[in-house]
Amino acid sequence: MADNYTLSGSNSTDGTELPHVEPTLGTPAVDVRGLNQTAGVFTFDPAFTATCSCESDITFIDGANGQLLYRGYPIDQLAANASHLEVSYLLINGELPSRTQMDQFRESITHHTMLNTSLMNFFDSFHYDAHPMAMMTGIVGSLAAFYHDTTDIHDPEHRETFAHRMIAKIPTIAAAAYKHSVGQPIMSPRNNLGYTSNLLRMMFAVPAEDYEVDPVASKALEVLFMLHADHEQNASTSTVRMAGSTGANPYAALSTGIAALWGPAHGGANEAVLNMLNEIGDASNVPEYIEKAKDKNDPFKLMGFGHRVYKNFDPRALVIRDYCHQVLDHYNNQGNERLFDLARELERVALEDDYFVERALYPNVDFYSGIIYAALGIPTNMFTPMFAIARTVGWSAHWMEMMNDPGTRIARPRQVYTGYTQRDYVPTDKR
Ligand code: ACO
């Protein structure tokens, strides 16, 4: 590693002047793009803890103060007043819709919900116990083979059709993946239902019976989807942007986001939280599990705790924690009440423990989302697909923003090479 490249002043390195990039909110960034040419060094930032990969107008997070804004609007105001489709319009277009714009958007989403019949046949090829996230990654990637009217990434109309189509079809795909995993017939979408009511019906209705959507369940999903719709340059969004920066087909780029979201350090955490609570089982076992989480020789972590950006309460967790009470009261479901009480006890003990306090480890949004999903009767392996449905909006908005930016170039980081220096080939009989 190069010696002595210290920052002397806020914008120079070893005498090299580095320009600032000024945000409208938050921390300014030092523009290091010219550094390699002028100073002959790279910047080293594995896991990108100090690196801004782009400029973006979509979402602002203040991790120290627990603030989250979509296009300037605080998340708690949106969750309390808006619908998921309204928030989707906002994230994609930059402004809240007028009544006419909202009607047109709803109409467009409603009429893109069906899947091509040949695509529906793909589900039969998956093994019955395939994880729904595995099916979703494959099916979304294959959308590129069906919708050729959205493959010109330089045409803004194509880009918009792609985003509408993705937001419309992702609930149909997730519900079909679920139906396949339980061996039931896939239910077609219904145009007379709202976004989340339609999803619930596609997941839980069967052709043999009538199905009434519970408005409490539908509203709960609306709230959860708004909270999860975007979160600036998280791992899955950055993955979509990186794949998209090559000029890849947008459906293929979006499928990489689904794959990245699946990991337990990211969107898979909601499933992992519920598994963890079930494993802990009883409040009397909480101290033992807290000790395990603190033990560096034990791989166990408190799932749903900690966040790369929030070093304060995740504002989404605050909305969801209050909402959890309402949902559990409505369903009066003793099993989930017990899980919620256990979660509250775990939260209480952790927040009083020096290890968690010193590291600013607070519950994140997924500490509670799984409990709400469980109360709604959504099976554990569908928790992360629910997140994927919501985040499809953010992925699409970021892909569109990137494609609109004339300065976009292929994302291509460098490395610090630590392997062998050059050596000569050795024939097999001499090794
Ligand atoms: N339990 C116990 N210790 C933890 C936890 C946890 N959940 N999270 C972080 N720590 C510890 C780390 O071991 C580290 O300790 P050290 O300083 O003694 O080495 C310190 O806190 C800092 O943590 P990092 O791992 O460096 O934080 P990072 O930003 O890399 O990771 C992450 C953030 C992945 C969210 C991490 O906190 C984690 O794995 N949490 C559990 C999984 C989870 O809930 N993920 C959901 C994220 S939110 C979302 O995607 C919606």
Side-chain angles (χ1 to χ4, degrees), residues 6 25 69 100 126 156 164 169 209 220 225 237 244 313 327 390 426:
T6 50
L25 284 174
L69 309 176
T100 313
F126 286 100
H164 289 202
K169 290 193 195 306
E209 288 173 9
F225 285 3
T237 303
F313 243 92
V327 172
V426 180

Side-chain angles (χ1 to χ4, degrees), residues 287-306:
E288 180 199 333
Y289 278 86
I290 293 281
E291 288 313 309
K292 274 165 73 66
K294 290 155 55 174
D295 181 355
K296 296 292 174 200
N297 297 316
D298 190 323
F300 177 80
K301 275 187 171 186
L302 270 198
M303 298 315 289
F305 257 76

